Amino acid sequence: MYSGKLKDELLDRLFEAVLLLRTRDECYQFFEDICTIAELKSLAQRLEVAKMLQENQTYGEIAGRTGASTATISRVKRCLNYGADGYKLVLERLSPPSKND
C-alpha cells in the first residue's frame, strides 16, 4: 500500500480516473484534455529515459535519442535508484516476457 508524500484525496481521484481508461484511444482522449502537449511529451520522454537508463545507455546516448537534458536524465536516474519504484514496475510490465518465463 502506497503511503508516500504525494498521497491525497485529489490524486486518489485522478488515479481512479486513469484506472477506468480501457484503451490506448481512451488514454489519448483523456490525457489530451487533462495535460498540455508539452506535459505529455515530457512524461513520455521521462519513461523512455528510464528505459534507456535500465539498459545502461550513456547520458550522451539518452540525450541524443530523447532530447532530454542531463538534469532530466539525472532526475530520472535518482528516481530509479531511490524513488518509489514506479518506473521499475511499469518498465517490467511493458517489457516482453523473457523466453525463460
Side-chain angles (χ1 to χ4, degrees), residues 8-82:
D8 73 20
E9 213 173 296
L10 291 176
L11 283 174
D12 283 351
R13 182 85 173 143
L14 172 64
F15 297 146
E16 287 169 15
V18 170
L19 290 169
L20 293 173
L21 300 171
R22 293 190 178 113
T23 66
R24 186 176 295 152
D25 284 342
E26 287 181 358
C27 288
Y28 272 103
Q29 288 175 282
F30 179 70
F31 283 99
E32 184 176 327
D33 285 348
I34 201 166
C35 295
T36 66
I37 292 170
E39 289 167 336
L40 279 173
K41 290 193 178 279
S42 178
L43 292 171
Q45 179 189 64
R46 289 177 191 175
L47 183 58
E48 185 63 17
V49 167
K51 177 181 170 281
M52 293 176 78
L53 283 167
Q54 278 200 329
E55 294 168 350
N56 295 315
Q57 295 191 36
T58 67
Y59 276 38
E61 292 168 330
I62 295 168
R65 179 164 171 204
T66 66
S69 68
T70 55
T72 295
I73 298 167
S74 294
R75 189 177 319 115
V76 172
K77 185 172 185 172
R78 188 171 47 251
C79 288
L80 280 170
N81 292 331
Y82 306 108

